Each structure stands twice: as structure tokens, then as C-alpha cells.
Amino acid sequence: PLVDLYLLWLLVQGQWAQASVMAALSIGADLVVAATAIALDRERWSLLAWAPGLRIIWRPLQLIAVCRSGYLWLIGSRQTWRRVDRYGTVAPTQSPNDPVTLRESEPVFD
């Protein structure tokens, strides 16, 4: 998160060249870490294409969530569940009187 904040600071200061180098280095580091994890876990290599998108989209969302949580903690606000309004507009696909058929469970691990 500190690298992301530094990157924002560089953009605010108008230092586009240094910001682009920092962005390229951080995306490169993410690709190396993701490639190592994919190799060790023997996952599909196509998953590596998601790494830059996670840096650009997911990390700022995480940072917002952490900052909001920290702010609420600092001001002493209690975390509460929000009420979910239910409207009953989803029609069931099966009648309550129809018998339920269960499949045999498949093994989770090979």
C-alpha cells in the first residue's frame, strides 16, 4: 500500500516518468510473485494474465476498505449489519412437494 500511495504522490506532483517506472516495477514484481505461486501450486498459466488487473483495480479497493475500517475504529464507531430488504420476487423452480434428489458428492481432493 505504501508503494501505491507513493505512486499517487508522484502523479499529483506531475512526475509522470518516475510514476510510470514505479508502476512498471510494481507490476513486474507482482508478475514474478504470481508466476512463482502458479508454478508452486501447479495452476494454469493463463491465470498470470490477471495479475496486472489486480494491481490496478483490486489493490485500490482494498486500500479504501482498510482506510474506512481504520477510520471507523479510530472514531469508535461500532460495526453493525445492515438490514436486507426482501421482496419475495424470485419464483422457485421446484415445488415444495417434489422429491429432492441428491447426487453423490465428488471428492474435493485428488
Side-chain angles (χ1 to χ4, degrees):
L2 295 178
V3 172
D4 297 333
L5 290 175
Y6 181 64
L7 188 60
L8 285 174
W9 177 255
L10 288 175
L11 290 174
V12 168
Q13 295 295 319
Q15 298 177 2
W16 297 94
Q18 190 175 359
S20 61
V21 169
M22 288 295 295
L25 286 175
S26 64
I27 289 174
D30 282 345
L31 287 172
V32 169
V33 170
T36 304
I38 287 171
L40 290 174
D41 290 342
R42 296 187 180 117
E43 292 287 341
R44 295 183 323 256
W45 284 99
S46 61
L47 295 174
L48 191 60
W50 288 97
L54 291 174
R55 162 65 71 172
I56 294 167
I57 296 169
W58 183 250
R59 291 286 296 266
L61 291 175
Q62 267 186 325
L63 190 60
I64 290 168
V66 168
C67 289
R68 182 177 183 273
S69 177
Y71 171 73
L72 291 176
W73 175 74
L74 282 173
I75 65 171
S77 176
R78 297 194 67 187
Q79 181 66 32
T80 60
W81 289 97
R82 295 185 194 123
R83 180 180 167 87
V84 177
D85 294 329
R86 299 184 185 269
Y87 301 105
T89 58
V90 177
T93 58
Q94 187 175 4
S95 167
N97 296 329
D98 290 344
V100 176
T101 57
L102 300 176
R103 293 185 310 169
E104 288 187 32
S105 63
E106 299 174 4
V108 176
F109 301 103
D110 293 331

